[in-house]
Amino acid sequence: QKEVEQNSGPLSVPEGAIASLNCTYSDRVSQSFFWYRQYSGKSPELIMSIYSNGDKEDGRFTAQLNKASQYVSLLIRDSQPSDSATYLCAVYPSGGSYIPTFGRGTSLIVHP
Amino acid sequence: DGGITQSPKYLFRKEGQNVTLSCEQNLNHDAMYWYRQDPGQGLRLIYYSQIVNDFQKGDIAEGYSVSREKKESFPLTVTSAQKNPTAFYLCATSRDMYNEQFFGPGTRLTVL
């Protein structure tokens, strides 16, 4: 059973701070990793993808992948109240099944 | 306007009734998926389709049925055999089974 674990939170950070969201996965040979943002009552929206070890930056978002330690992180710099949402981690396996496993999500609250 | 549409946005069902949720896309994506999301739970896969006229059961297919007669459409029927259908239903698409998924706006189903 492939598992993706996220701390459910809520993670509370002040406006302007860096929010750090973490995700660990059990399938050692996973290949593709995605972060989705889901506002309350809305559907998930893709915000970042990462495929190789290291950091990938897109605006205020940075995704970090460490395959040896089997974790992927999302950093949000200069957090804004509009970043308050649940962040879902999705992990794609290699070969065979191409169905991603989603984590349950981490709730982020950015307070003014 | 490219995108994924789901209808209706809200749906109320009496016990014993079958209901059909619509999912349409004009992204020319081959793969389509149906997920169910319950409060505090992750996304659970109901059915998926890699190509027209082909679909596979996901983790929780019992009480649901689908069809894929057209590339653009992947309707989901919630049958009376589904014991606890109240949930948020999400349709997703991807270019193919190897690529990231994009989600429609969702249908919120409530059983009265």
Side-chain angles (χ1 to χ4, degrees), chain B residues 23-74:
Chain B
C23 178
E24 304 278 333
Q25 55 104 356
N26 61 6
L27 301 171
N28 200 34
H29 284 179
D30 284 325
M32 299 186 74
Y33 313 78
W34 275 105
Y35 290 92
R36 168 182 173 145
Q37 188 175 41
D38 296 279
Q41 301 289 319
L43 297 173
R44 291 188 288 170
L45 182 66
I46 304 172
Y47 269 96
Y48 65 97
S49 168
Q50 298 184 58
I51 56 172
V52 175
N53 293 321
D54 181 68
F55 51 83
Q56 306 295 328
K57 292 182 179 180
D59 299 320
I60 55 165
E62 185 175 351
Y64 300 97
S65 66
V66 293
S67 63
R68 185 87 187 275
E69 297 175 0
K70 298 187 299 181
K71 187 175 186 177
E72 301 78 18
S73 178
F74 190 41

Side-chain angles (χ1 to χ4, degrees), chain A residues 39-54:
Chain A
Y39 292 113
S40 180
K42 302 296 186 182
S43 63
E45 172 193 10
L46 179 67
I47 55 172
M48 286 288 288
S49 60
I50 188 166
Y51 304 95
S52 53
N53 280 328

Side-chain angles (χ1 to χ4, degrees), chain A residues 56-67:
Chain A
K56 179 181 178 182
E57 188 174 316
D58 184 0
R60 294 186 298 112
F61 298 102
T62 298
Q64 299 176 318
L65 175 60
N66 185 323
K67 289 187 178 182

Side-chain angles (χ1 to χ4, degrees), chain A residues 7-108:
Chain A
N7 189 321
S8 63
L11 173 66
S12 182
V13 302
E15 184 174 356
I18 296 175
S20 178
L21 305 162
N22 299 312
C23 171
T24 61
Y25 58 94
S26 62
D27 184 2
R28 184 173 296 275
V29 295
S30 296
Q31 293 294 315
S32 307
F33 307 85
F34 302 91
W35 283 98
Y36 290 83
R37 177 176 62 200
Q38 186 175 22
Y39 292 113
S40 180
K42 302 296 186 182
S43 63
E45 172 193 10
L46 179 67
I47 55 172
M48 286 288 288
S49 60
I50 188 166
Y51 304 95
S52 53
N53 280 328
D55 294 0
K56 179 181 178 182
E57 188 174 316
D58 184 0
R60 294 186 298 112
F61 298 102
T62 298
Q64 299 176 318
L65 175 60
N66 185 323
K67 289 187 178 182
S69 300
Q70 294 176 235
Y71 80 79
V72 55
S73 300
L74 179 69
L75 302 179
I76 306 175
R77 291 182 300 282
D78 189 24
S79 294
Q80 301 297 309
S82 58
D83 294 325
S84 299
T86 297
Y87 289 81
L88 305 176
C89 171
V91 176
Y92 276 66
S94 67
S97 165
Y98 305 112
I99 301 298
T101 300
F102 285 85
R104 294 191 176 191
T106 297
S107 174
L108 172 66

